[in-house]
Amino acid sequence: MPARPQTQEPQTDLDARYSSPDATAMPWAEAVPRLEKAEIFWLSTVRPDGRPHVTPLMSVWMDGALHFATGARERKGLNLDTNPHVVLTTGANAYGEGCDLVVEGDAVRVTDEKRLVELAAAWEAKYGPGWHFDVRDGAFSTATTAAPPPTEETADAGRALVFAVSPRTAFGFSRDEGFGQTRWRFAH
């Protein structure tokens, strides 16, 4: 499980090459609420043959990390078996307004039952009762006790592995009043 958030602020830099002349670096404290509120993220993973894979998903920001879930046999789950390096992006879909955020780091599996219960509650609070998860055997579960016994093909049905991504590097691309590109580097 990733370490709890560090109290030290990340190193913050504005890249003047891609920013308006009057732009200032966005403080990390302004980026975090955007990560907390964002509903859809794009997860980039790497296939075993080196090709990229990108998919939209939901994510919860908690204790200094983005958390997402996937089935073990989904493409992203298979990719994480061989390469934990990921990028999560979220942001606005309009030119001239909003802010895009990019978080780079390693996806680390969360298996601690207490932590998973906290994350399941956070998922439901953020996305509503349709996203209720139970916690079983180190993963999220949507399986009911009335379900038939699993077969080899359905063994992972209703089971989602949970991963945490603590930022190693993050980028903010603001477009609200001019343009600004901020980079945050985190000590690990």
Side-chain angles (χ1 to χ4, degrees), residues 11-26 172 174 179-184:
Q11 179 181 337
T12 303
D13 298 299
L14 179 74
D15 192 331
R17 297 173 300 170
Y18 307 110
S19 300
S20 299
D22 59 344
T24 59
M26 178 189 301
S174 59
F179 295 88
Q181 181 178 318
T182 301
R183 177 177 58 191
W184 300 280

Side-chain angles (χ1 to χ4, degrees), residues 34-43 55-61 66 88-90 126-127:
R34 293 173 189 260
L35 293 171
E36 290 171 336
K37 291 176 188 171
E39 295 180 355
I40 300 296
F41 290 78
W42 291 87
L43 174 70
T55 189
L57 50 67
M58 295 181 292
S59 182
V60 170
W61 176 266
L66 283 170
L88 285 146
T89 61
T90 191
K126 183 174 182 179
Y127 294 105

Side-chain angles (χ1 to χ4, degrees), residues 37-177:
K37 291 176 188 171
E39 295 180 355
I40 300 296
F41 290 78
W42 291 87
L43 174 70
S44 299
T45 59
V46 180
R47 298 172 195 259
D49 66 4
R51 292 180 301 135
H53 177 262
V54 179
T55 189
L57 50 67
M58 295 181 292
S59 182
V60 170
W61 176 266
M62 182 184 282
D63 293 335
L66 283 170
H67 297 80
F68 66 90
T70 182
R73 295 183 185 176
E74 291 181 38
R75 178 78 265 157
K76 57 191 172 289
L78 295 169
N79 293 347
L80 292 172
D81 277 345
T82 59
N83 187 338
H85 305 307
V86 300
V87 177
L88 285 146
T89 61
T90 191
N93 201 18
Y95 181 79
E97 62 184 53
C99 179
D100 299 317
L101 296 170
V102 177
V103 174
E104 299 177 351
D106 289 340
V108 178
R109 176 113 184 264
V110 178
T111 58
D112 177 77
E113 299 277 324
K114 181 179 180 225
R115 183 74 174 148
L116 288 169
V117 168
E118 293 170 348
L119 287 165
W123 236 272
E124 191 168 351
K126 183 174 182 179
Y127 294 105
W131 292 96
H132 172 81
F133 294 106
D134 294 321
V135 174
R136 288 193 189 103
D137 301 322
F140 282 172
S141 174
T142 59
T144 66
T145 55
T151 64
E152 185 177 329
E153 292 82 25
T154 65
D156 288 332
R159 185 169 192 264
L161 307 180
V162 179
F163 291 86
V165 180
S166 297
R168 178 177 303 123
T169 304
F171 297 91
F173 301 91
S174 59
R175 299 182 302 278
D176 286 329
E177 295 177 20

